[in-house]
Amino acid sequence: MVITDIVQLSVGIALHVVSYAFPSINVAVCCVLLMIASFTSMNTPLNLAGMAVERYIAICNPLRHAQICTVRRTYILIALIWSVGAIPGLADLFIVLVLRPLSFFYSSVLCYHKSAFFTSVHENKNRVAHTLYMSFVWLTLIYTYLRVLLTAKSASTDPVSARKARNTILLHGAQLLLCMLAYISPTVDMTLMLYYPQYRAHLLFLTYLISYVMPRVLSPLIYGVRDEKFCRYMKDYWLCARCRRKVTPQAFTAAK
């Protein structure tokens, strides 16, 4: 998930830098960048579903967790997530190849999704794909949360582990809600650009920060704070930093 978020943010920031430097770029290059961004954007909710299933197995089937969640199966799951996440982006490219002439790929456009993939077929495809993906992920999160909640009430389950698993799944739900902002951002972009066309680049970057960057900042922030070793090291670092600020050169000389 971290690698996916890094790729998505890198491509997204590159697109915004390009939009500032070059108002229009080649359509073929734009399509490649948009497809990479689409792959990684669709991977994020699927990663959340996979992580929720892993927590469900750890709590509800602890004796079989080591047998089910092996390294080999983890790699298979990652490959499956990337394959399924690539389907909407490849479908966008296929629709353009069918409905647009090849000369379209030699033209130049402002590189964002609506300018490259702008047909009514794309809108219908996006609506169906987003509904299917989000429905699958939400059902997975709700099912795993309820099963963990019921299992936590049994006497044989470690209450601390069960509580951590429930909190993890709830955090995944919060991340998914933030990820869903990306599905309304194109509509918000078009509406705002109708009223403020002179601030097009600024509006696109602002909605990108809110709908794409914020959900991906949440994961490393939360998991970093929840990690005991990392949290302890951060506390030691800040305490040492405060001590260094308090010990001024004048105070050090006076102490000597």
Side-chain angles (χ1 to χ4, degrees), residues 96-128:
V96 170
L97 290 173
V98 171
L99 298 181
R100 303 290 296 177
L102 290 178
S103 58
F104 173 70
F105 291 94
Y106 296 98
S107 60
S108 298
V109 295
L110 176 64
C111 191
Y112 69 104
H113 196 271
K114 286 289 184 179
S115 63
F117 308 122
F118 56 88
T119 66
S120 59
V121 181
H122 285 105
E123 294 181 0
N124 295 330
K125 188 276 302 176
N126 290 335
R127 193 176 301 112
V128 172

Side-chain angles (χ1 to χ4, degrees), residues 187-199:
T187 304
V188 175
D189 289 338
M190 297 298 294
T191 303
L192 292 176
M193 284 190 291
L194 287 176
Y195 293 97
Y196 307 101
Q198 68 274 24
Y199 300 115

Side-chain angles (χ1 to χ4, degrees), residues 111-147:
C111 191
Y112 69 104
H113 196 271
K114 286 289 184 179
S115 63
F117 308 122
F118 56 88
T119 66
S120 59
V121 181
H122 285 105
E123 294 181 0
N124 295 330
K125 188 276 302 176
N126 290 335
R127 193 176 301 112
V128 172
H130 293 162
T131 302
L132 290 176
Y133 278 62
M134 289 299 104
S135 299
F136 169 75
V137 176
W138 273 117
L139 289 174
T140 301
L141 292 180
I142 293 172
Y143 175 78
T144 53
Y145 180 78
L146 293 178
R147 288 300 303 270

Side-chain angles (χ1 to χ4, degrees), residues 86-233:
I87 293 175
L90 294 175
D92 284 333
L93 180 61
F94 178 77
I95 293 171
V96 170
L97 290 173
V98 171
L99 298 181
R100 303 290 296 177
L102 290 178
S103 58
F104 173 70
F105 291 94
Y106 296 98
S107 60
S108 298
V109 295
L110 176 64
C111 191
Y112 69 104
H113 196 271
K114 286 289 184 179
S115 63
F117 308 122
F118 56 88
T119 66
S120 59
V121 181
H122 285 105
E123 294 181 0
N124 295 330
K125 188 276 302 176
N126 290 335
R127 193 176 301 112
V128 172
H130 293 162
T131 302
L132 290 176
Y133 278 62
M134 289 299 104
S135 299
F136 169 75
V137 176
W138 273 117
L139 289 174
T140 301
L141 292 180
I142 293 172
Y143 175 78
T144 53
Y145 180 78
L146 293 178
R147 288 300 303 270
V148 169
L149 187 64
L150 294 174
T151 305
K153 295 181 179 180
S154 64
S156 59
T157 304
D158 181 12
V160 177
S161 299
R163 186 177 66 253
K164 288 183 177 179
R166 292 199 309 270
N167 293 338
T168 299
I169 296 174
L170 286 176
L171 289 175
H172 292 167
Q175 288 178 264
L176 186 60
L177 283 174
L178 291 174
C179 289
M180 292 179 69
L181 292 174
Y183 302 143
I184 65 173
S185 62
T187 304
V188 175
D189 289 338
M190 297 298 294
T191 303
L192 292 176
M193 284 190 291
L194 287 176
Y195 293 97
Y196 307 101
Q198 68 274 24
Y199 300 115
R200 172 183 292 181
H202 299 78
L203 292 173
L204 290 176
F205 187 67
L206 177 62
T207 55
Y208 173 75
L209 287 177
I210 296 173
S211 57
Y212 287 94
V213 176
M214 280 181 54
R216 287 156 181 84
V217 169
L218 189 63
S219 292
L221 184 63
I222 290 176
Y223 284 103
V225 172
R226 292 178 67 192
D227 185 86
E228 295 180 0
K229 291 184 178 180
F230 179 80
C231 189
R232 185 172 67 251
Y233 287 139

Side-chain angles (χ1 to χ4, degrees), residues 74-86:
T74 302
Y75 286 139
I76 293 174
L77 177 62
I78 293 173
L80 181 62
I81 288 174
W82 276 89
S83 300
V84 175

Side-chain angles (χ1 to χ4, degrees), residues 6-22 25 29 33-34 36-37 111 205 208:
I6 290 173
V7 174
Q8 204 283 332
L9 291 175
S10 300
V11 174
I13 293 173
L15 284 171
H16 282 90
V17 171
V18 168
S19 68
Y20 277 104
F22 309 100
I25 65 172
V29 177
L33 294 175
L34 290 175
I36 296 174
C111 191
F205 187 67
Y208 173 75

